[in-house]
Amino acid sequence: VYEDVKHLAESLSVIYSGVAMGRIFGTTLKPEAALAFFAELNRDAVAKAELSKEEALQYLRKQEVAVERFKEGMNLVECEGCALGFAKRIGNRCNNLFPNSLRILMNDK
């Protein structure tokens, strides 16, 4: 296996390597969306918001999702145990951190 990986590393150009954790704003980390999909992410290190399929579609469209579904602070958003991204609850509102460039634009189900 090592020889295979070595051969690939010598033959291919690496465009992007690793997963960015995010950016620090003051004392708060705003996580990168890709971090939610990282296989080694410790999912117990952050609060989780489990959404129904309908709520997950709202999240992926960057529409409002009931704030009660989220704990205060940063939340890993999941549907059926699959990570979708992050959201941050601040009091009685919730910031959807799903990237605009990836949001679902069509309202069809």
Side-chain angles (χ1 to χ4, degrees):
V1 173
Y2 171 78
E3 290 299 320
D4 293 335
V5 172
K6 182 180 176 193
H7 174 70
L8 287 172
E10 292 170 349
S11 304
L12 300 172
S13 298
V14 176
I15 296 172
Y16 188 83
S17 177
V19 176
M21 288 187 62
R23 296 182 181 180
I24 296 177
F25 293 96
T27 59
T28 306
L29 173 71
K30 180 181 177 187
E32 288 288 330
L35 184 61
F37 308 118
F38 181 52
E40 299 297 318
L41 177 66
N42 179 358
R43 292 183 177 208
D44 296 323
V46 65
K48 288 181 263 192
E50 181 69 29
L51 304 182
S52 68
K53 286 182 183 180
E54 185 176 311
E55 291 171 319
L57 284 171
Q58 289 175 284
Y59 171 80
L60 295 171
R61 291 180 182 125
K62 292 205 68 157
Q63 296 172 339
E64 294 282 328
V65 178
V67 72
E68 297 79 24
R69 306 294 279 155
F70 302 91
K71 295 183 177 104
E72 189 68 26
M74 196 62 64
N75 289 257
L76 177 64
V77 180
E78 296 183 335
C79 180
E80 297 181 356
C82 294
L84 302 175
F86 293 96
K88 183 176 183 181
R89 179 175 177 174
I90 305 166
N92 62 356
R93 68 182 180 89
C94 191
N95 292 341
N96 183 335
L97 301 179
F98 194 72
N100 284 329
S101 61
L102 299 178
R103 76 183 186 275
I104 297 173
L105 297 175
M106 298 176 64
N107 286 325
D108 297 334
K109 291 183 181 182

